[in-house]
Amino acid sequence: MRRVVMLFVFLLALPALAQRPTEIVFWHTAGPPAQELFEGFIKEFNAQQKDYRITYRYVGDYREGGIKLLAALRSGGAPNLFHGEISFLGRIVQEGLGVALDGYLTGIPGDFYPGFLETGKVRGQTYGLPIGLSVPVFFYNADQFGAKGLKAPTSWEEVASAAQKLTSRAAKGYIVSSDIYSFNVLVMSRGGSLVSKDGKPNFTDAKVVESLEYLQDLVKKGVAQSRNIAEAQFSVADFLRTKAFMGVAPITIWPLIEDRAPIPFKLGVTAVPREAGGKVPLAGGVLIPFKGVSPEQVRGIVAFWKYLMEPENIAKWVKATYYMPMRRAAQPLLEDWYKADPRRRVAFSQVENADVWLQDPEFVLWYSFLEDALERALKGGIGAKAALEEAQRKAMQVERK
């Protein structure tokens, strides 16, 4: 009799067991001002279907989250899914912790912008799903430009000319940041690349050398203020305190600047100057599943990503974060937003000329050599070519796995 009762109880429990959703443990790095919106997307996804349930946790920004993840990977407490910075993806794959996703990506929309899906690839295979990609923009003091009769620059020659006219005893015309991101913006916009097609350092390429010589010339002429990574916070302060009048920075800084205390001038925002064939680099984050996830969990992760990529959700995400719209289908939903501030249309039009630049796992080991070369050239007076040749030698000595 007891066996009959137990069998009856088991049969009653079968429907519940069959309907239990696949759980996905997710650590994300989408902090304010986007945290509430992003976590709202997760809740909506969980509510609209019964196959998967995402259990989420905010673990700080890219750097903080990466540190926590590395500790969890060592201790065995890592999540199934992580929201990490693009450059982090290559190292995960190199360590054998990534999951190849191409076989799960059938039927995705065909209107993603060129290069966007490439940010999730390492050596031709997809391991990450991009969700928040940004481009650089050119910030300038529109009041000072107006006073000098200047227009927003559309070439680097115009930037140099404007820097000369804007510089005074109290202020410099341009801010030069000797970090890898800012330098790469200049290199790519001029049609160059810091990495060769075969994935090796490309620091001595003519376009790279010319780009550093351009910056070095501005500094030597006294029309640009050079700041290194340790002084990055001073770059923003220089600009807001009218100690400098132009600079390049990620577009995601824009809402943060305007949400601060009132800026004492009209903020000019425009596209980064580009030469023919030039590009602007994509930066940002991707969803990274880890080795050990089940096929069903991977299907759930892809389903969640597809939900985030719905045009309505992309539009909400863009307005909150200033990340690029991933798909063309989202653009009509942003028209009113563009019309409300014409600067947005100009800045976001760069989506057509954006491209991937961080895919090689070794790059995170190379960039310190390059940043040291930038520092020596811009503050130490070392010739641009000599500094880059030394960085190239050091980078080529890094063993490739």
Side-chain angles (χ1 to χ4, degrees), residues 160-321:
S161 176
Q164 183 77 48
K165 294 175 181 177
L166 291 165
T167 296
S168 66
R169 290 185 179 181
K172 302 292 186 182
Y174 188 69
I175 301 171
V176 173
S177 298
S178 57
D179 63 274
I180 186 70
Y181 175 82
S182 299
F183 183 60
N184 182 57
V185 171
L186 178 60
V187 171
M188 285 185 65
S189 71
R190 295 159 67 95
S193 175
L194 296 177
V195 183
S196 65
K197 292 182 179 180
D198 59 356
K200 294 181 180 179
N202 198 40
F203 304 160
T204 54
D205 178 76
K207 291 283 187 181
V208 180
V209 175
E210 290 167 7
S211 295
L212 183 52
E213 288 174 341
Y214 170 86
L215 296 178
Q216 197 171 46
D217 185 58
L218 293 181
V219 173
K220 285 181 178 179
K221 289 179 177 177
V223 301
Q225 171 70 55
S226 179
R227 294 291 193 186
N228 59 27
I229 294 177
E231 300 168 327
Q233 69 273 24
F234 298 120
S235 296
V236 177
D238 288 342
F239 183 69
L240 295 179
R241 295 173 184 172
T242 65
K243 298 297 182 182
F245 302 117
M246 296 181 288
V248 170
I251 194 171
T252 48
I253 289 180
W254 183 357
L256 299 179
I257 291 177
E258 293 199 322
D259 286 345
R260 295 175 62 150
I263 303 173
F265 56 86
K266 182 180 178 181
L267 180 65
V269 185
T270 191
V272 170
R274 286 187 309 108
E275 295 181 3
K279 299 288 184 178
V280 289
L282 288 167
V286 291
L287 300 180
I288 308 172
F290 290 107
K291 184 178 180 180
V293 294
S294 69
E296 189 60 25
Q297 286 176 315
V298 176
R299 282 188 281 271
I301 290 167
V302 172
F304 173 57
W305 176 71
K306 287 182 177 179
Y307 177 71
L308 294 176
M309 294 300 105
E310 292 180 4
E312 295 80 5
N313 291 335
I314 290 175
K316 293 176 184 176
W317 184 240
V318 170
K319 292 175 183 179
T321 64

Side-chain angles (χ1 to χ4, degrees), residues 116 131-135 251 282 314 317-318 321-327 347-351 354:
F116 278 41
I131 61 170
L133 300 178
S134 69
V135 296
I251 194 171
L282 288 167
I314 290 175
W317 184 240
V318 170
T321 64
Y322 281 53
Y323 281 121
M324 291 291 103
M326 298 284 295
R327 295 175 52 198
F348 278 81
S349 68
Q350 296 181 110
V351 73

